[in-house]
Amino acid sequence: MPRVVLSGNEAVAVGVKLSRVNVVAAYPITPQTTIVEKIADYVEQGELKARFINVESEHSAMAACIGAAAGGARCFTATSSQGLLYMGEMVYWAGGARLPIVMAVVNRALAPPWSIWCDHNDALSLRDAGWIQMWAESVQEVLDMMVLAYKVAENERVLLPVMVNLDGFLLSHAYEPVEVPTQETVDLFLPEKRPAPYWIDVVDPKSYGTIASPDTYMEFRFKLQAAMDEAARVIEEVDAEWSRMTGRSYGGLLELYKCEDAEVGLVVVGSWAGDAKEAIDRLREKGVRAGVIRLRVTRPFPSRSLASVAESMDAVAVVDRSLSPGLPSVLLSEVRNALYDNGKKPYVKGFIAGLGGRDVTPLDFEAAVESTLKAKEDGGSRVEWLGLKGGRDVC
Amino acid sequence: MSVKSLPKEEYWLPGHAACSGCPASLGLRMLGKALGGRFALVVPAGCTTVIQGTFPRTPSRVPILNIAFAASAAAASGLKAAFEVRNLDVPVVVWAGDGGTVDIGLQALSGAAERGEDILYICYDNEAYQNTGIQRSGATPIGAWTTTTPFGKRERRKEAPLIVAAHRVPYVATASVAYPLDFVEKVKKAASKRGFKYIHLHAPCPTGWRFPPSKTIEVGKAAVETGMWVLYEVENGLLKLTGRSTGLWDPAKRKPLEDYLKLQGRFAHLFKPENRWMLEELKKHVDENWSRIRATLERGGRLF
Ligand SMILES: Cc1ncc(C[n+]2csc(CCOP(=O)(O)OP(=O)(O)O)c2C)c(N)n1
Ligand code: SF4
Ligand SMILES: [Mg+2]
């Protein structure tokens, strides 16, 4: 397999090309822009046979993807931050309509104040939209995840849109050497789209998205949930298939680092898992048996796998790159929720960190783990802000 | 040609949920006949969402992609792109209300027009947000009562067809459900062209305009005969009056505006002395509109 140096955003574009996407609709926003530029280039050069719809907004980008998917095309869009919020109505529409659209979200903080730097609040705001949410750690994973996303989305047992999240700048603009799968490999893995029940067809005309009375609406939602449950299984199957073909496996819903004998776990999402792993190595040198649990997928939330990994741990630190004011950590709540029903559950402490691109180092992760172990002993606060100026404010 | 000469085949079936005398369902029937039932519809929120009835039934024999209120022109662009990449030669038609067109959907409409998407966009204009209970829209004429303009709208309406024509698209037309043959001809002509086509269909709504359901056609005709509504085409930037509007630039040939206004409850208050100014303003707008049309025609019809 050819090895080339790519940025995260370039890896998205290569993934789109390898997946033979045939309709792209997108609108530029930092730090997503280079994806759109690269794809426009592929289309102009004839390297990707696709219609590129230069829409006038993100709302229209997703609307165009919905039309394209309903018309039987394999389609793609990408956005960040304000763009994702602006698109919000249509993001829900795509999820409810069960259309296998893939969207790259280059995660960026929300205004005000304006910030172009990374955090996860943009994607978090749409966690209930009926989209599978995947999160990459490396440029290689971004590329693989793009192809896997289509495979999962189009699976007849799933039929759900997939959001591939990559951290703004930290991943989107970071260059790494990656193995690019050959077109033959991807073609074998991801065959051309087959006619699906949701395709708009003049020969067999149906009306989609009509009004559902209280008599029928709930079943649509139930099926959406059932598709999510199924997606959890399909993601694991697809990961295994990809591993057989390329030798690269990511562990499906969770990636575990040194968790076998770990007494304390560190739960993270996204590119800073690398720093988290470094922190774990240092903690182990100090004699703390710690491990990283990286959530690769947050919808469907990997509750069962998480509970079974955490079962043997005494404590878990959850470091969240988003904030739900008034909660304040969604990731913490979701992790706790996943563990609650399990007979044996660890002590859990949450951390809010890295908002608006605030730097987080391996030392911070180390401190988070130590603070969790300490809180377990002396019953300290359950949520802490990491790297907050003026000391560690506690709520 | 008469209405009887239109194809007998129906693509919009009885049993739908529209009010009686509904201009939208009438227009949809004509549209199906004009295109022989081989097209896909994109429908944003509005009365047409409701008149389709509830899942799992549909009165439509053409496929419909229902979509969010602001999204129809963009969704249609995507649908058409999919048909193109699949080498399917199927027309994509947007069927949107005036609110979904001149207000919330204007951005997507403008984007699609500017990109030259190969779609036909039809706005059925019942001059208010009827579905949510008769609120004013940017297409509600000055003076008209709606639930959000309880004493009559103070502002003049937007000229959506001219806004679209300013995008220099190949075909823009106005039509009225009261003149089905004119409408059908325009749909056919639009469908024969590549690129972005726009038809603005006047759709007198008995429920919202406060007239008896049996008078939809009568009201629609009165709108045209009094010059309140103008039937025209803009083909490659050239303006041309069509059908019953031909020659009406001569004020002597137009019926008095009152003939149209008095048919409808929504204008009843205009005849009270204190509202005289609104009536005068409305008349002034109609005259201005015709002077502009006349001037354009005298210049050879070139709008853009
Ligand atoms: C984003 C959004 N805002 C508001 C609504 C509520 N809404 C539904 S239909 C409608 C009015 C539709 O008016 P128009 O487009 O003129 O169509 P009509 O009902 O008159 O046929 C409104 C305001 C909505 N569905 N979506
Ligand atoms: S309110 Fe008017 S446009 Fe809407 S369904 Fe009734 S008659 Fe038709
Ligand atoms: Mg309306």
Side-chain angles (χ1 to χ4, degrees), chain B residues 13-98:
Chain B
L13 304 176
H16 56 73
C19 318
S20 39
C22 175
S25 62
L26 194 58
L28 283 163
R29 253 183 93 192
M30 296 305 151
L31 174 66
K33 289 174 189 283
L35 295 179
R38 197 174 175 281
F39 61 104
L41 265 182
V42 177
V43 175
C47 278
T48 306
T49 316
V50 176
I51 70 185
Q52 288 170 63
T54 52
F55 171 84
R57 279 172 285 276
T58 176
S60 177
R61 285 182 59 207
V62 300
I64 302 183
L65 177 64
N66 285 283
I67 200 74
F69 200 13
S72 46
S77 305
L79 183 56
K80 184 66 192 181
F83 287 165
E84 279 168 11
V85 299
R86 291 176 56 212
N87 292 319
L88 285 177
D89 186 20
V90 174
V92 173
V93 181
V94 172
W95 180 266
D98 49 297

Side-chain angles (χ1 to χ4, degrees), chain A residues 4 33 47 61 78 114 135 137 157 245 250 257 275 281 291 327 334 341 345 349 354 366 385:
Chain A
V4 290
T33 28
E47 285 181 60
W114 281 113
W135 305 79
E137 178 190 342
R157 287 148 59 203
M245 291 177 75
Y250 295 92
Y257 180 76
D275 295 322
D281 291 345
L327 187 57
E334 296 195 341
D341 283 335
K345 40 184 170 275
K349 175 162 178 168
E366 216 178 310
W385 289 61

Side-chain angles (χ1 to χ4, degrees), chain A residues 99-104 131-134 149 152-153 160-164:
Chain A
L99 295 170
I101 297 161
V102 173
M103 163 162 67
W131 283 62
I132 292 170
Q133 293 192 309
M134 299 183 174
V152 172
L160 286 172
V162 180
M163 204 181 281
V164 171

Side-chain angles (χ1 to χ4, degrees), chain A residues 51 57 71 206-208 211, chain B residues 55 58 64 66 84 86 107:
Chain A
R51 248 306 296 283
S57 74
K206 297 191 185 82
S207 296
Y208 296 90
I211 296 175
Chain B
F55 171 84
T58 176
I64 302 183
N66 285 283
E84 279 168 11
R86 291 176 56 212
Q107 174 180 306

Side-chain angles (χ1 to χ4, degrees), chain A residues 84-115:
Chain A
L84 186 65
L85 293 200
Y86 192 60
M87 189 190 271
E89 183 190 27
M90 303 321 294
V91 176
Y92 269 81
W93 197 283
R98 306 281 305 275
L99 295 170
I101 297 161
V102 173
M103 163 162 67
V105 174
V106 186
N107 304 108
R108 163 181 155 183
L110 302 172
W114 281 113
S115 165

